[in-house]
């Protein structure tokens, strides 16, 4: 129904795509028919999500607009363990989808464009634990704020927190958020009682509610006569409705929120009503956002109607000869007004409006990609500003065959400055909770279940404070202990076969327990260590000597990192300072500046080719925070920051210099944060997160050479669980038809940082090294930058054009043509050719003779033509003999005649080479990925099978003796 007053919209018409149209209904849809209070269907500016009748919590996805070839793509993702009861897109992110389910959870999904692989894991999972959830709804102005409803009440969630902000308990069955059989108006901050309560619709069926102009409410439900009813309310005075309107008698619920238009001066429902009648049952309806409308044809509204087997786009247009801007006032934009935290503190702001005309003129597919905010918020729904090409990056645990399982006795309480475990491309070192600081070493090339018996270990003799592999020697493990000593262990080739008790070398010099150790990125055998004695010392492992001692720290040293060129060393300290050292020039810091305010721990890493320092730490409220510092001016403080979440563990960063992707997680976390870091605003561009099913000890990343570039894998990590070691691949989804090419835009030449460029002695004497670079491109792959441009999809006529039967008229026309040809080739002269000089008085007699002779000639020619055609048919049949009968049998068996098969494959002469050549070309040309269809491919396959059968019959016939060929 469309409600209107006498306005510019009163003459609007609806345009519904025809089922037979090439760009009509979206097929391959199986609409869900189960009962729930949810919407069943929701649209953003780019995507449409809908419930399906598939078991197991499946959600379908399609696009708002058809692709350039006029086709629609439909896909599904498995969201929940039980059926999905409701779904909602974020108003600030076209690709952020919230779902709730009967399994009592709410999940947030970072969905992708339909030509890319959809995520297998939710970005955020909230456990409401309030019975079957019925409704989920994003806040219209605050980012990351959700309302979730069940039969017991309503909960309000900040998606970055583990518990609900508040809960509203109800005392009657829920129909829609903020609407019941009795209509409640509540203020979230004041939860003890409802501010107003009034009898709503008198029917006992479902109801819906919608806020309309100013402080008014519009509800839909049923009256006592079971008629669908619409009521208008003033939220400031709910004693009685302002107006009501009965529509029709039906058992179906009436969806509010669609197509209600009010005249500014009259909020009355006593208006004219326009109907849009459809010939299919409706499972759900979604309103397409204003920013996605086609203003060029004066489209003012668009609906997506979900039926059992189709999605039907319904467009409402105002008939105008010329474009009229008055039809398109500014509408709400895509930028949140406040954060969830600020809203909870009491701040109220309105979302800024934007022009539909500007949006439509700048892009044919408005807002087709999610964007990140200039100052990333705690919500994953950050929207404004540029977006990262890695925003849809996906993490996935590799197959179980690559796992090492049955780990026992892990040491789960390593110091905060330690990463928890360490790995290189060949092996993993894991501390054990056994006396004597024992460390187990596992070969990655030998996955599987570990035996229950004791394993050979490294006996460090004291508790392990930190340990790491030599980046240039995969067999050398360096371990720092509580006794202020550093031990160097050499692992034999093939891994540990017996327990090691004697280290290769012991470094002595620190007077207190050691915090952490870090190898130099270029010089072999050069190690830095920090200690409770508030010093950082450099060691030459070849000689076992201390070569430098750095001072200047006033408290515990949380972390340190070498610059990419190996010239500088950065540290972050508990005294709230970030310091920068040039060890070869001075033992004191050359720069220092304010660091994180929290004192629970911190890490530091160099980013953006050494121009910036990224520090992960805690703010004054002990919430995890990311800070970005300019390496040239630490004293000026951070240039940007990004909040993460609340957790006691420090975020451990990994930075990939090839892609500028930063990956962070903490010990005991289940979420892995991913950002792209850029050297200018907005600095932090948030990407999709990776979630694990259980807390992990941490992640350790492997050399870039371990990545599977054929699968667009940009990073490979090892995840340590409670009893398992699992490889995790981080991939960038790309269009499947382009995966055959090497994605050189995400795989530039990479530095061989696992090879040393100089010795420790050379670096100490003033030399600087530089890693050589290599390409990760396999020899048999072509770079995507050199790939040929995709050819336009060839338009093929339907196969029915080639396969249709000849009509009687066509056959008659061919017969007459044959008769004319016979007459034209006749050699005997006609009698009238000998008549010359006929007198006028004799013309009548000759004319009669000509007519008689002509009739005789036509009759003889017709009879001769028929006899010749019959004789030719008999001769052909006698020549083919048994082969003809076999061919006819083959046509009957395959359902395709020889002539039809030749037409489909465009074959004139039956040769195996020509048949195979044309078959391969047509089968590939009709592939679904390039605009074809499985139906056309099946016709091509059947045609080839028919021609192959014909060749086989002919060969059998040719090999028989002449006397057998006539039988």
């Amino acid at each position: 129904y469309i409600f209107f007053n006498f306005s510019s919209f009163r003459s609007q018409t609806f345009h519904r795509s025809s089922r037979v149209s090439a760009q009509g209904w979206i097929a391959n849809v199986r609409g869900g028919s189960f009962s729930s209070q949810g919407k069943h269907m929701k649209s953003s500016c780019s995507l449409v999500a809908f419930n399906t009748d598939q078991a197991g919590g499946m959600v379908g996805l399609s696009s708002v607009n058809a692709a350039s070839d006029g086709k629609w793509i439909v896909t599904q993702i498995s969201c929940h363990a039980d059926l999905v009861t409701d779904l909602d897109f974020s108003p600030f992110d076209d690709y952020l989808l919230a779902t709730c389910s009967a399994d009592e959870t709410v999940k947030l999904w970072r969905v992708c464009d339909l030509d890319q692989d959809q995520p297998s894991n939710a970005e955020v999972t909230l456990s409401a634990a309030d019975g079957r959830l019925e409704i989920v709804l994003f806040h219209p102005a605050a980012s990351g704020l959700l309302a979730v409803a069940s039969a017991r009440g309503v909960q309000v969630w900040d998606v970055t927190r583990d518990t609900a902000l508040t809960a509203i308990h109800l005392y009657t069955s829920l129909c829609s958020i903020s609407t019941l059989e009795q209509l409640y108006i509540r203020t979230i901050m004041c939860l003890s009682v409802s501010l107003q309560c009034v009898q709503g619709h008198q029917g006992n069926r479902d109801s819906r509610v919608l806020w309309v102009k100013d402080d008014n409410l519009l509800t839909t439900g049923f009256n006592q006569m079971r008629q669908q009813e619409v009521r208008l309310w003033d939220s400031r005075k709910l004693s009685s409705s302002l107006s009501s309107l009965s529509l029709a008698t039906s058992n179906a619920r009436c969806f509010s929120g669609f197509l209600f238009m009010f005249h500014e001066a009259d909020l009355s429902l006593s208006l004219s009503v326009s109907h849009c009648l459809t010939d299919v049952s409706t499972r759900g309806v979604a309103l397409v956002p204003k920013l996605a409308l086609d203003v060029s044809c004066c489209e003012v509204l668009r609906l997506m109607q979900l039926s059992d087997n189709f999605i039907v786009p319904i467009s409402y247009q105002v008939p105008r000869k010329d474009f009229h801007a008055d039809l398109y006032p500014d509408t709400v934009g895509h930028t949140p007004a406040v954060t969830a935290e600020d809203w909870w503190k009491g701040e109220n702001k309105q979302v800024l409006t934007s022009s539909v005309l500007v949006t439509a003129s700048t892009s044919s597919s408005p807002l087709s990609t999610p964007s990140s905010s200039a100052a990333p918020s705690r919500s994953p729904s950050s929207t404004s500003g540029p977006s990262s090409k890695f925003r849809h990056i996906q993490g996935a645990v590799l197959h179980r065959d690559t796992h090492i399982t049955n780990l026992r006795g892990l040491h789960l309480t390593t110091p905060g400055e330690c990463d928890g475990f360490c790995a290189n491309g060949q092996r993993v070192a894991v501390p054990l909770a056994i006396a004597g600081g024992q460390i187990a070493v596992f070969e990655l090339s030998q996955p599987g279940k570990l035996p229950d018996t004791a394993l050979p270990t490294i006996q460090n003799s004291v508790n392990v404070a930190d340990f790491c592999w030599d980046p240039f020697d995969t067999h050398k493990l360096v371990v720092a202990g509580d006794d202020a000593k550093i031990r160097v262990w050499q692992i034999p080739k093939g891994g540990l076969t017996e327990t090691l008790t004697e280290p290769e070398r012991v470094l002595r010099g620190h007077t207190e327990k050691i915090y952490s150790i870090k190898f130099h990125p270029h010089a072999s055998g050069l190690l830095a260590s920090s200690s409770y004695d508030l010093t950082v010392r450099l060691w030459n492992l070849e000689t076992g000597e201390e070569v430098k001692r750095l001072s200047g720290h006033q408290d515990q040293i949380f972390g340190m990192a070498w610059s990419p060129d190996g010239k500088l060393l950065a540290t972050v300290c508990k005294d709230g300072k970030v310091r920068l050292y040039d060890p070869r020039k001075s033992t004191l810091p050359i720069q220092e500046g304010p660091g994180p305010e929290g004192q629970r721990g911190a890490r530091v890493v160099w980013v953006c080719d050494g121009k910036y320092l990224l520090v992960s730490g805690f703010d004054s409220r002990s919430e995890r925070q990311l800070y970005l510092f300019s390496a040239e001016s630490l004293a000026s403080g951070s240039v940007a920051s990004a909040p993460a979440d609340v957790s006691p563990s420090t975020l451990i960063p990994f930075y990939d210099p090839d892609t500028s992707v930063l990956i962070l997680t903490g010990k005991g976390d289940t979420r892995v944060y991913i950002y792209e870091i850029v050297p200018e605003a907005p600095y932090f561009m948030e990407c999709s997160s990776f979630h694990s099913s259980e807390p992990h000890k941490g992640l350790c990343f492997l050399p870039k050479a371990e990545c599977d570039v054929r699968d667009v894998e940009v990073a490979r990590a090892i995840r340590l669980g409670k009893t398992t070691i699992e490889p995790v691949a981080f991939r960038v989804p790309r269009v499947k038809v382009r995966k055959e090419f090497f994605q050189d835009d995400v795989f530039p030449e990479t530095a061989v940082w696992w090879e040393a460029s100089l010795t420790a002695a050379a670096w100490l004497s003033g030399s600087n090294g530089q890693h050589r670079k290599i390409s990760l491109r396999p020899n048999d792959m072509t770079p995507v930058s050199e790939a040929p441009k995709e050819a336009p999809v060839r338009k093929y006529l339907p196969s029915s054009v080639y396969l249709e039967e000849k009509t009687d008229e066509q056959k008659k026309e061919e017969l007459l043509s044959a008769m004319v040809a016979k007459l034209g080739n006749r050699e005997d002269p006609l009698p009238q050719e000998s008549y010359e000089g006929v007198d006028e008085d004799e013309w009548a007699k000759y004319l009669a003779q000509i007519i008689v002779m002509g009739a005789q000639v036509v009759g003889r020619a017709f009879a001769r033509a028929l006899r010749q055609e019959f004789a030719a048919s008999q001769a052909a049949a006698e020549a083919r003999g048994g082969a003809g009968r076999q061919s006819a049998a083959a046509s009957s068996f395959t359902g395709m005649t020889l002539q039809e098969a030749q037409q489909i494959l465009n074959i004139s002469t039956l040769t195996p080479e020509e048949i195979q050549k044309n078959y391969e070309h047509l089968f590939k040309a009709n592939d679904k990925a390039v605009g074809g269809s499985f139906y056309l491919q099946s016709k091509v396959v059947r045609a080839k099978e028919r021609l192959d059968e014909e060749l086989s019959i002919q060969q059998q016939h040719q090999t028989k003796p002449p006397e057998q060929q006539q039988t």
Side-chain angles (χ1 to χ4, degrees), residues 550-620:
L550 310 179
S551 59
H553 298 93
Q554 305 300 319
D555 208 329
Q556 178 181 353
I557 303 170
F558 284 145
M560 55 185 178
W562 289 98
S563 62
D565 57 11
K567 296 179 181 179
L568 305 175
L569 181 68
T571 64
V572 57
C573 185
K574 190 175 181 179
D575 60 10
K577 298 288 185 180
V578 178
R579 294 177 172 85
L580 205 57
Y581 289 86
D582 188 344
R584 291 179 294 188
K585 294 182 178 180
S586 173
T587 60
L588 296 175
I590 59 174
Q591 282 193 69
E592 68 176 36
E597 297 179 8
Q599 298 184 353
R600 301 183 62 172
R603 296 297 179 93
V604 61
V605 66
W606 293 77
V607 298
C608 300
D609 296 325
K611 297 178 181 178
Y612 292 91
L613 285 170
L614 184 135
V615 177
S616 65
F618 295 84
D619 60 15
S620 58

Side-chain angles (χ1 to χ4, degrees), residues 643-762:
D645 59 5
V646 179
S647 179
S649 61
T650 306
L651 287 172
I652 303 172
F654 164 79
Y655 179 74
D656 178 18
D658 296 342
T659 59
S660 298
V661 168
L662 176 73
I663 303 177
L664 311 101
T665 192
K667 291 183 286 186
D669 285 4
T670 59
R671 181 178 180 181
V672 178
Y673 295 88
I674 305 177
Y675 294 88
E676 182 182 359
I677 308 300
V678 292
E680 56 189 15
Y683 299 104
F684 295 92
M685 292 199 291
E686 189 174 4
C687 305
S688 298
S689 300
F690 166 68
H691 292 263
S692 55
S693 57
E694 61 180 17
H696 47 237
K697 179 75 172 176
L699 291 181
C700 189
F701 285 82
L702 304 182
K704 203 64 176 283
E706 302 295 326
C707 295
D708 183 5
V709 298
R710 297 181 185 273
D711 206 18
V712 201
E713 181 183 330
V714 296
R716 173 74 64 89
I718 298 297
R719 174 182 177 272
L720 178 62
K722 188 174 181 180
T723 60
T724 60
I725 295 175
E726 304 168 347
V728 179
F730 292 88
R731 306 184 180 100
V732 177
R734 287 293 171 97
V735 180
K736 296 179 181 178
V737 297
R738 308 293 286 177
K739 273 191 176 182
E740 61 187 68
F741 298 100
F742 176 70
Q743 310 293 315
D744 52 349
D745 60 323
V746 297
F747 292 110
E749 288 191 340
T750 187
V752 187
W753 55 263
W754 50 92
E755 293 181 2
S757 57
L758 74 168
T759 63

Side-chain angles (χ1 to χ4, degrees), residues 742-806:
F742 176 70
Q743 310 293 315
D744 52 349
D745 60 323
V746 297
F747 292 110
E749 288 191 340
T750 187
V752 187
W753 55 263
W754 50 92
E755 293 181 2
S757 57
L758 74 168
T759 63
W763 182 84
L764 291 169
S765 63
S767 299
N768 292 309
Q770 186 175 1
H771 292 302
R772 66 183 181 92
K773 292 190 174 184
I774 60 172
S775 172
L776 298 177
R777 179 175 67 89
N779 295 330
D780 59 345
M781 293 187 74
T782 301
V784 71
S785 59
E786 300 176 9
K789 295 184 178 179
E790 294 184 358
V793 178
R794 182 180 176 183
K795 301 295 184 181
Y796 290 94
L797 293 175
S799 59
S800 59
V801 174
Y802 303 103
L803 303 179
E804 62 184 2
E805 294 290 339
K806 294 180 181 178

Side-chain angles (χ1 to χ4, degrees), residues 358-385:
V358 174
T359 306
S361 63
T362 55
S363 174
S364 60
S365 179
L367 299 172
S368 59
T369 57
S371 56
S372 303
S373 64
S377 67
R378 295 175 56 181
S379 167
S381 60
S382 51
T383 54
S384 61

